[in-house]
Amino acid sequence: MERIALGSQASQLLTRRAMLKLAGTVGAAVMGGALLSACASGGGEAVSYSEASASTGDAPEGTASAPQLGDKTLIAVFSWSGNTLNMANRINELADADFFRIETAEPYPDDVDATIERARTEQDADFIPELAARVDNWDDYHTVFLGYPIWWYELPQAVKGFIQSYDWAGKTIIPFSSHEGSSFSGTPADIQALCPNSSMLQGISIQGEAVASSLDSINVWYDGLALA
Ligand SMILES: Cc1cc2nc3c(=O)[nH]c(=O)nc-3n(C[C@H](O)[C@H](O)[C@H](O)COP(=O)(O)O)c2cc1C
């Protein structure tokens, strides 16, 4: 399977120093603690979270007829510094899927402080940035692996915008994320709330610095999904 290269905006890795700075702003209790434990364990192990447990999304009585769905799989990923993209690339090696990068029309800056600031401003205002491209043939997809970093405890606004751009009825969503201490931070439930009548399978969230050394845990998780 083709490997997806990092774009320019993802070329700069989020440094530990920058994360410590972020921890001071986001909340030392969550991020700082996790960073320290990650340091102590040499990066930590991949963890999967069951909060995104399997659920069905039967259409309520009286709603429109069942949506037409294809049987294809899509991997859609937003990634700024490459960790979540790394996860997506491994999933892409395992799944027979199409690959889509969620990108904003105006790229996030390469500078981490500027990105942190822009993300915060966008979230505070609930501003959805314009996206660079749309998925072709959305209706062909039945299953969507949706990947993102945790930004300020939440879905990045670009991912929220991506979700809001499509009809998810009947789709099966499989979330995956990377983070520096907040794990999924409730985002699978947020996705479910934004995607009525969809189903969700258990996702995986990995601490950013540990992604590169934890890619095999993605294989284990993927096998556990037992996708047809
Ligand atoms: C703007 C911004 C906000 C972040 N907020 C959080 C957060 O609230 N909790 C957390 O655990 N990590 C947070 N992080 C760290 C990222 O989630 C983490 O480094 C992730 O692995 C980055 O993924 P990426 O390389 O795919 O962009 C934040 C990073 C950025 C740039």
Side-chain angles (χ1 to χ4, degrees):
M1 201 60 77
E2 187 193 352
R3 197 162 177 79
I4 310 299
L6 294 182
S8 63
Q9 75 175 23
S11 60
Q12 177 189 346
L13 288 177
L14 205 50
T15 63
R16 184 177 299 262
R17 192 175 61 81
M19 286 316 305
L20 284 169
K21 183 170 182 183
L22 184 68
T25 328
V26 172
V30 174
M31 298 198 46
L35 275 173
L36 289 177
S37 63
C39 296
S41 62
E45 289 183 2
V47 183
S48 64
Y49 294 89
S50 58
E51 64 182 284
S53 58
S55 65
T56 54
D58 296 334
E61 221 175 302
T63 55
S65 56
Q68 299 297 307
L69 291 175
D71 57 3
K72 293 176 73 177
T73 298
L74 180 70
I75 300 166
V77 60
F78 175 75
S79 179
W80 179 72
S81 60
N83 297 329
T84 323
L85 182 64
N86 224 347
M87 296 174 71
N89 278 325
R90 174 56 65 98
I91 296 168
N92 200 25
E93 289 170 10
L94 302 169
D96 180 16
D98 293 338
F99 200 100
F100 182 80
R101 284 288 298 273
I102 302 169
E103 291 175 307
T104 49
E106 183 193 338
Y108 285 90
D110 285 341
D111 177 67
V112 66
D113 291 333
T115 296
I116 286 170
E117 189 54 37
R118 176 171 156 189
R120 180 170 208 169
T121 305
E122 288 179 350
Q123 278 179 223
D124 284 352
D126 198 14
F127 173 79
I128 303 291
E130 186 189 339
L131 299 182
R134 284 185 63 85
V135 172
D136 292 329
N137 308 321
W138 176 252
D139 292 346
D140 291 351
Y141 297 105
H142 177 272
T143 303
V144 182
F145 287 87
L146 180 59
Y148 50 88
I150 301 301
W151 275 12
W152 294 106
Y153 299 119
E154 293 181 8
L155 293 171
Q157 293 294 103
V159 175
K160 219 167 147 185
F162 175 80
I163 291 170
Q164 290 171 346
S165 301
Y166 302 97
D167 181 1
W168 293 78
K171 310 267 192 224
T172 297
I173 306 168
I174 310 174
F176 61 100
S177 77
S178 69
H179 64 91
E180 290 300 342
S182 303
S183 65
F184 263 128
S185 190
T187 51
D190 296 337
I191 294 169
Q192 283 180 305
L194 290 168
C195 303
N197 303 320
S198 64
S199 303
M200 185 172 277
L201 300 183
Q202 181 173 316
I204 185 168
S205 187
I206 301 179
Q207 195 258 337
E209 282 193 347
V211 166
S213 59
S214 305
L215 289 173
D216 287 348
S217 68
I218 292 178
N219 295 49
V220 175
W221 160 76
Y222 182 87
D223 289 346
L225 293 173
L227 298 171

